[in-house]
Amino acid sequence: MTGLDQLFCEQTDDRSIWHGFPNGRHGLGRIAPRAPAAAGSLAGGVDTSAEGLRDDFDRSRPPALTLASGALVIFEALQGWLEGDGIGCADWQRVRWDWHPHYVAGQWRAGELELELAACLTGGDHALIRWVARNRRARPFKGRMVLAGAAAQSNISLHNQRCGLTHERWRNTVACTARADCVIVSVCAARCLWFDLVQDRLLPPDDFDRAQRRVPIGALLRFDPGAGWQVEAAAEAWRATRPLRLRAGEEREFLVRFKGCALGAQPPQAADFEAVATHDDPEPEWAEALAAGEQRWRSLLARVPAPPASLPTAWRRHYYKAWTVPFYNLLPPTDLGHVALKQPTVMCNRVAESGFTVPASWEAALGALLVGLSEPNLGLSVLEGIYATMEDDGFIAEMIGGTRHTQLANVEPIIVELLANRGAEPEALQRLYPRMWRNHLYRHYHANWRHLTPLFCRNLIYNYHAGRSLERLAARLDRPAAERDRLARMADDCELAVAAAWDTENGYYRDEYDAAARAFSAKTQSDTLIALAGAARPAHRARLLAELPARYLADNGAIRAYPVGLPGRAPNAKLARTILKCSNYLLLMPALRSLAPDLFPRIHDGTLTTLAADGDFWEQNDLNGSGFNNGPGGIFGAFGFIWTVLSAEGTTAEWLGEALSVPPARRAKE
C-alpha cells in the first residue's frame, strides 16, 4: 500500500484533530474542556474553551467538535450524547479517534451504548456532521438524543483576556435563534490588532475603530426535517433533543448540516440568514460526501512531487499528510477584519491553541511555495497578497496587514524566482516586481525583526539571497542596468555585513548587532547556519562545517536551535532544547546535502524522526519531537518535513538553481 493510499484507510489510529476544505473558509477541530457552561443551562456540558487543542483531549467527555471560520475565530462548540436508562452526559468516554484528509471521526462509549461522530467539509462553507447511535446491550434503550451548542471563545478574545483587555468592546457578540428544524448562530467577533496592546489601551473611544474591527459570521445548523427534533435557543447557546428508542443491536444515524454565510466586513442581515435557512441546493448524503472528499484530495495530492524511492515506508504516509496542510490552510480572498485580502493567502494554521490563527508573511510565503509546486500561478497569487499589504515605505508586517511591530525574513523573492523557474506567468512577475523592489529596499536598510531594533545576522543572510534572486529576476524582466547594478552592490554589502558578524576566535556568526558597542554581540543561534547556502566566505564555511556535528547537531542528527558551547539567545530552558525552526530549511537543507554529503543522511533521518514523532505539524519541536506553538496543522512543520524529504536526492537544490550558487563575481574574488 502506498503512502497516499494509507491516508484513506478507514481506521488510521491518527489522532490529529483538524479538518478543512481546500481553499475553504471554514474548518473543523476539537477543543478540550476548560470551563464548561453551568449545569442546567442550555449549554450545560458543552466545551466553550479555545484552549488545549491537542490530540490528547479529555477522554471523559461526550462527542464534540468545533467549527472555525476564515475570520480566524473558533466560534461554535457542538456536542452530542444519549441520555436515559441511567446514562447521562458525564458517562461517555472516548475510545477511538481517526484523522483522514477528507473527514475526522471518533467513537465514544457509555457502558454498552456507542456513539460515533464524524464530520466532513463538503464545500468552503458547508459541512456534514454524522452521528451514529448504537445499542450493544441485550435489552432496548429508551431515552433521547441530545445535540447542544454554545459559542466558543475566539482565539483572539482569549488572548485579549490574558492581556487584561476585558472591556465589553473586546468581547464577541453572539445570538442563537431556534427554528423548527434548525438553529441560526450569529457571531460578531472582536478582532483587535493585538500586537500594539499598549497603544490600543491609550486610544480615545472615537479612535477605537482604527484599532479593531468586529468580524461578522453567520452559521446555520440544520437537523433532519420531520425527525421530531425540539430546538430551543437562549442567548449564546442552543439545544436540540428528540426521543430515541433502540432495540438490542440496533443503530440509528443522524445528520446535521452546517452552512456558513455573511463572512465579510458588513454585519449579516436577517435576509442573509433567511437565504441560508431556505437554501434548497441538493445536499449530499454521507457516503456521497466521503467519496467526493476522497476524490478531491486524491486529485490534489496526485499533483504534488512524489517522495524519493528511498524514503522508508514509515514516513511515506506522514509525507502525504504534510501536503494536506498547505491546502487546508489555503484561504480564498477574504475580509479578515484587520485587512481585506483580494488574493488567496495561507494561514499559519487554522486550529491553533496559541491564538496565532492569522496569515504571517513567512508562513504564507512557504505555503505559497508548497501550493505553487503544483500550481505556480496560485503560489504567485498568494505572494501578491502578501505584497499587497505593504505600506508606502515598503514595510510588510509579520502579521500581514497588521501593525508595525515585527517583520520576518526576506524569503519572498527567493520563492518568486523558484516559481518563475517552474513556469509562473511572466505577467505576474511584472506586477510583483515593483513591490518586491520597494520592500527589498526597506528590508536592506532595516534588517531587524522588531520594528526599529538592532539588525540580525540572519536577516542579512536572507537579504543577500533575496537580493541575488531579485538581481536575476530584474535581468529576466529586462530592467535597467543601473537598477540591476544597484541590486548587485546591495547584495555585496550584505555579504560584507555577514562577514563582519563572524567571530574569528570561536568560529561562529554572532547574531545580533549591538548599536552601543558598534559591533555584533556574542550571542548566536543556529539559524545563522543558512550562510552556508552562499553568503559565507570559504574559510567561514569550512569552519562551520567542521564544527557542525559537535556544536549544532542533536544526538539523532536533527539541527539544534541553539548550538552547544556558544552563548545563545534562548530565552528559557524549554527553547534551549528545541530543534531549529523548519522555516530555515528552505536554503539550509539543500546546502547541507551539497556541502556535507556524508553527514546529510544523519541530519535527514534525525530531522524526519523528530518532526514525525508528534504525529502532527507545529511551528517548533523539542529534541524529543514534541510540538508546540501554532499547531496542530501548522505550515512550518509541514514545510520542514516535505522539504527535508525532497532534499535527500537534490530535488530542492535543482528547483532553487542559482539561488544556491556563488555568483561569478564572488567566485573571482574568492
Side-chain angles (χ1 to χ4, degrees):
M1 183 181 295
T2 67
L4 182 56
D5 290 334
Q6 291 173 17
L7 280 181
F8 299 97
C9 292
E10 185 173 346
Q11 293 192 17
T12 63
D13 196 32
D14 185 331
R15 293 177 295 167
S16 292
I17 53 173
W18 43 272
H19 168 58
F21 190 88
N23 206 24
R25 285 189 173 89
H26 289 87
L28 300 173
R30 172 64 174 85
I31 55 176
R34 182 175 65 95
S41 72
L42 284 182
V46 178
D47 302 340
T48 56
S49 162
E51 285 192 324
L53 238 167
R54 294 298 300 266
D55 63 5
D56 55 355
F57 58 83
D58 195 339
R59 294 175 179 271
S60 62
R61 290 276 170 173
L65 58 84
T66 53
L67 303 168
S69 83
L72 319 182
V73 289
I74 296 172
F75 70 93
E76 181 68 4
L78 170 65
Q79 217 160 269
W81 62 90
L82 300 181
E83 62 181 27
D85 278 359
I87 298 294
C89 175
D91 296 315
W92 291 90
Q93 299 278 331
R94 178 174 56 86
V95 295
R96 199 187 82 238
W97 183 265
D98 293 306
W99 176 92
H100 312 264
H102 54 313
Y103 75 105
V104 288
Q107 185 181 66
W108 285 256
R109 286 182 186 150
E112 294 181 278
L113 295 176
E114 288 182 358
L115 265 177
E116 290 184 1
L117 164 63
C120 171
L121 278 153
T122 59
D125 299 296
H126 297 236
L128 192 59
I129 304 162
R130 178 180 183 253
W131 307 80
V132 176
R134 189 176 294 114
N135 180 15
R136 295 195 179 278
R137 303 191 299 189
R139 57 188 177 86
F141 166 79
K142 181 180 179 181
R144 64 177 184 167
M145 177 76 185
V146 181
L147 299 179
Q153 289 178 311
S154 76
N155 290 359
I156 300 302
S157 292
L158 183 63
H159 182 94
N160 293 342
Q161 290 180 17
R162 288 171 175 163
C163 295
L165 297 173
T166 56
H167 189 274
E168 179 66 30
R169 69 188 189 183
W170 301 104
R171 298 176 186 168
N172 291 351
T173 303
V174 185
C176 296
T177 305
R179 299 288 180 86
D181 63 352
C182 67
V183 62
I184 297 170
V185 181
S186 170
V187 182
C188 252
R191 282 286 293 159
C192 73
L193 299 187
W194 43 271
F195 280 125
D196 284 347
L197 294 173
V198 174
Q199 293 93 316
D200 291 343
R201 288 194 185 101
L202 298 177
L203 285 174
D206 291 345
D207 289 343
F208 177 69
D209 283 342
R210 287 175 19 203
Q212 71 97 40
R213 298 266 302 278
R214 286 191 174 273
V215 180
I217 309 153
L220 173 101
L221 291 149
R222 186 195 298 279
F223 314 106
D224 294 339
W229 290 97
Q230 298 293 317
V231 186
E232 53 185 329
E236 299 184 4
W238 59 268
R239 180 171 293 204
T241 59
R242 56 151 294 170
L244 181 64
R245 292 179 180 234
L246 293 173
R247 298 186 300 273
E250 185 182 7
E251 67 177 43
R252 191 81 59 85
E253 176 188 88
F254 306 93
L255 292 179
V256 178
R257 301 181 186 274
F258 161 81
K259 294 181 179 180
C261 74
L263 188 67
Q266 300 301 317
Q269 304 297 313
D272 297 321
F273 294 120
E274 291 295 336
V276 173
T278 58
H279 201 51
D280 57 359
D281 282 350
E283 296 175 326
E285 295 302 316
W286 181 251
E288 180 185 354
L290 281 197
E294 179 173 345
Q295 178 58 39
R296 183 183 308 112
W297 278 107
R298 281 187 178 274
S299 176
L300 272 176
L301 297 175
R303 301 201 299 269
V304 307
S310 59
L311 187 70
T313 302
W315 287 331
R316 287 181 171 271
R317 181 184 185 277
H318 204 63
Y319 172 78
Y320 281 106
K321 180 180 179 180
W323 273 108
T324 67
V325 172
F327 292 103
Y328 164 65
N329 284 297
L330 185 64
L331 195 70
T334 301
D335 189 326
L336 299 179
H338 72 284
V339 61
L341 295 175
K342 297 181 180 180
Q343 293 86 11
T345 193
V346 178
M347 312 279 278
C348 297
N349 71 297
R350 293 278 290 279
V351 290
E353 62 182 348
S354 65
F356 209 79
T357 47
V358 294
S361 63
W362 206 341
E363 285 89 342
L366 293 178
L369 168 57
L370 293 177
V371 300
L373 288 176
S374 55
E375 298 181 50
N377 291 326
L378 175 58
L380 274 192
S381 183
V382 173
L383 289 159
E384 281 193 82
I386 297 173
Y387 282 108
T389 66
M390 184 175 67
E391 298 187 23
D392 290 343
D393 64 352
F395 177 83
I396 294 178
E398 174 177 4
M399 184 178 79
I400 58 175
T403 58
R404 296 179 71 94
H405 185 74
T406 53
Q407 64 173 348
L408 296 177
N410 192 4
V411 299
E412 291 87 352
I414 305 168
I415 295 171
V416 169
E417 183 186 19
L418 188 154
L419 295 179
N421 292 340
R422 290 181 61 82
E425 293 177 351
E427 293 80 4
L429 297 179
Q430 292 281 6
R431 291 196 305 270
L432 268 174
Y433 182 85
R435 287 182 171 270
M436 293 168 64
W437 166 244
R438 188 146 46 99
N439 175 246
H440 184 67
L441 280 175
Y442 182 91
R443 281 168 152 163
H444 180 77
Y445 294 108
H446 303 86
N448 49 24
W449 172 58
R450 197 178 298 277
H451 187 47
L452 300 181
T453 56
L455 59 82
F456 279 177
C457 181
R458 179 201 73 180
N459 286 15
L460 290 169
I461 299 168
Y462 277 112
N463 282 348
Y464 167 81
H465 284 280
R468 294 298 184 199
S469 288
L470 272 174
E471 185 184 352
R472 289 185 290 272
L473 288 170
R476 181 182 301 204
L477 296 173
D478 198 24
R479 302 292 296 185
E483 187 174 291
R484 301 200 300 270
D485 183 63
R486 186 179 179 187
L487 283 166
R489 286 186 284 108
M490 289 166 64
D492 288 341
D493 289 345
C494 287
E495 180 212 344
L496 292 172
V498 171
W502 181 255
D503 185 314
T504 303
E505 180 180 354
N506 298 296
Y508 71 95
Y509 285 109
R510 298 181 174 197
D511 193 45
E512 187 174 14
Y513 187 76
D514 185 339
R518 303 189 69 179
F520 281 84
S521 67
K523 294 181 180 180
T524 190
Q525 58 185 26
S526 298
D527 57 11
T528 55
L529 284 174
I530 57 175
L532 291 169
R537 291 182 172 177
H540 301 167
R541 186 184 306 121
R543 181 75 181 271
L544 286 174
L545 291 171
E547 302 281 4
L548 189 63
R551 281 184 174 175
Y552 295 93
L553 300 189
D555 291 342
N556 70 354
I559 304 168
R560 295 175 175 272
Y562 300 92
V564 175
L566 295 177
R569 291 197 296 111
N572 56 51
K574 177 181 178 180
L575 290 180
R577 288 189 46 77
T578 61
I579 67 170
L580 181 64
K581 279 190 182 182
C582 299
S583 51
N584 294 288
Y585 292 2
L586 174 65
L587 297 173
L588 183 56
M589 282 298 173
L592 287 173
R593 194 254 182 193
S594 173
L595 297 170
D598 294 336
L599 190 58
F600 185 74
R602 180 185 167 200
I603 297 172
H604 171 274
D605 291 358
T607 300
L608 296 185
T609 297
T610 305
L611 293 178
D614 189 275
D616 218 301
F617 308 98
W618 303 81
E619 178 178 339
Q620 293 174 275
N621 292 78
D622 65 25
L623 295 175
N624 296 319
S626 180
F628 60 98
N629 286 348
N630 292 335
I635 282 290
F636 274 177
F639 170 80
F641 197 88
I642 291 168
W643 207 247
T644 302
V645 166
L646 294 176
S647 294
E649 295 185 355
T651 305
T652 57
E654 180 183 338
W655 290 337
L656 285 165
E658 291 183 277
L660 279 176
S661 64
V662 180
R666 278 276 313 282
R667 290 197 192 97
K669 287 189 291 185
E670 292 178 359

